[in-house]
Amino acid sequence: TRSKLYPLVIDRERAVNSAWYEMVPRSQSTAASRHGTFQDCIRRLPDIAAMGFDVLYFTPIHPIGLTNRKGRNNSLKAEPNDPGSPYAIGSAAGGHDAIHPDLGTFDDFQQLIEACRAQGLEVALDIAVQCSPDHPWLTEHPKWFARRPDGSMKFAENPPKKYEDIVNPDFSCDDAGSIWNALRDVFLFWVNKGVRIFRVDNPHTKPFHFWEWVIREVQRKDPGVIFLSEAFTRPKLMKGLAKLGFTQSYTYFTWRTQKWEIEAYLNELTSYPERDYYRPNFFVNTPDILPF
């Protein structure tokens, strides 16, 4: 008899066990009045490695839009010197394949990659599938974004949170295949720059078929690329993302404060069938939520 053919993926060691240090690179300056740079980040690497971390995770490093830029403490009015949210990706300086000019150049980024290797660290980049209204894609591909009858565009929401400085690509548009290809090319662009770990922001709000496809496409080029799912949603959706190919997954560890809750959750994650496909990464917080 013959069974069905089942693909087998053998992950590298860092996919199985890794300790992530989360860093906002613009905050690494030694002077409060100066924007941090990749060179500032490089100076911190020995201390980070000495603490036992092996992954340096950056919040988005791309240009930040000006339209509806958020101010201090999430204010809807930004002052002239407010840098904005790094998750409002895209400006005249570029989009997901560009670096914020204040952080440095691609040469500086390459120095950072090499300096991390020397310390036994890897860089993980945050990929958020969302755009500032100033992102080049809105001009180059206007059909990728849904508009109201009056021509205006709805900003992103994740109730009760509102993101007035962000719009989302429309995966149900007639040209959705081009969105898939463009996002695949974003991942491959950074793989070619030496990045082999990606933390994906809110993957549960995008089509699951897309993630299954794009993970396979990227890992065909480099089987060692790691994808971390940052999904805080219903357990079935979180587990579904793990089943379709995400290497590691966020957990609800941070919202469980009682001993019995943590014990029950760990028993779930270390039992079958979860242990066969769900590899939890116990992040202690997220960039925009500080738990109890």
Side-chain angles (χ1 to χ4, degrees):
T1 60
R2 291 180 180 269
S3 72
K4 294 180 180 179
L5 295 177
Y6 293 97
L8 176 64
V9 177
I10 301 175
D11 290 321
R12 60 192 179 102
E13 185 175 355
R14 193 151 292 177
V16 180
N17 183 17
S18 53
W20 293 42
Y21 185 91
E22 180 178 339
M23 176 184 280
V24 181
R26 72 186 187 197
S27 299
Q28 304 311 308
S29 167
T30 55
S33 60
R34 182 176 66 81
H35 194 289
T37 67
F38 289 137
Q39 295 299 328
D40 291 317
C41 298
I42 290 173
R43 283 193 286 272
R44 292 213 51 216
L45 297 183
D47 288 340
I48 294 169
M51 288 188 282
F53 293 98
D54 49 34
V55 175
L56 178 63
Y57 154 52
F58 283 141
T59 52
I61 61 173
H62 315 296
I64 298 171
L66 290 172
T67 301
N68 298 332
R69 174 174 283 193
K70 291 294 184 75
R72 182 171 297 197
N73 296 325
N74 209 35
S75 167
L76 298 180
K77 178 174 171 47
E79 298 300 325
N81 293 326
D82 286 339
S85 167
Y87 288 89
I89 297 169
S91 73
H96 286 75
D97 57 356
I99 290 173
H100 194 296
D102 289 344
L103 287 174
T105 65
F106 277 103
D107 286 341
D108 293 318
F109 185 74
Q110 195 61 46
Q111 289 182 41
L112 172 68
I113 294 286
E114 293 169 2
C116 282
R117 287 178 184 150
Q119 296 287 341
L121 292 160
E122 283 191 59
V123 169
L125 287 190
D126 200 322
I127 299 295
V129 183
Q130 58 202 33
C131 302
S132 153
D134 306 319
H135 195 293
W137 284 351
L138 276 85
T139 303
E140 298 168 2
H141 306 284
K143 293 183 179 179
W144 288 5
F145 301 87
R147 297 180 181 272
R148 300 187 182 95
D150 65 359
S152 63
M153 191 174 297
K154 185 178 181 182
F155 60 77
E157 293 186 73
N158 185 14
K161 293 178 288 185
K162 297 181 179 181
Y163 306 108
E164 291 87 351
D165 52 347
I166 292 171
V167 296
N168 286 321
D170 180 12
F171 278 85
S172 63
C173 74
D174 293 338
D175 197 23
S178 295
I179 299 177
W180 286 35
N181 289 333
L183 291 169
R184 174 203 58 197
D185 292 345
V186 166
F187 283 108
L188 292 177
F189 175 87
W190 291 107
V191 169
N192 289 333
K193 297 295 182 185
V195 178
R196 302 182 76 207
I197 305 178
F198 297 99
R199 179 263 198 191
V200 178
D201 191 74
N202 276 333
H204 60 286
T205 61
K206 313 301 183 293
F208 276 31
H209 288 311
F210 165 71
W211 294 121
E212 187 172 24
W213 173 81
V214 79
I215 291 172
R216 185 173 65 246
E217 287 287 295
V218 173
Q219 290 182 340
R220 278 178 175 169
K221 300 289 185 181
D222 184 347
V225 174
I226 294 168
F227 288 84
L228 170 67
S229 166
E230 183 258 355
F232 288 115
T233 182
R234 297 185 298 279
K236 283 187 177 181
L237 288 181
M238 294 172 70
K239 294 174 182 178
L241 289 163
K243 288 180 179 179
L244 61 80
F246 275 94
T247 322
Q248 297 181 4
S249 305
Y250 265 35
T251 69
Y252 262 102
F253 159 71
T254 42
W255 276 265
R256 297 170 192 267
T257 58
Q258 303 297 314
K259 177 182 177 181
W260 68 268
E261 291 179 297
I262 296 173
E263 285 181 341
Y265 193 45
L266 284 168
N267 281 328
E268 175 186 337
L269 293 176
T270 55
S271 300
Y272 293 103
E274 282 79 9
R275 66 181 299 166
D276 280 337
Y277 65 87
Y278 196 88
R279 188 178 292 142
N281 191 320
F282 285 83
F283 264 65
V284 295
N285 71 332
T286 75
D288 58 343
I289 299 172
L290 183 62
F292 172 71

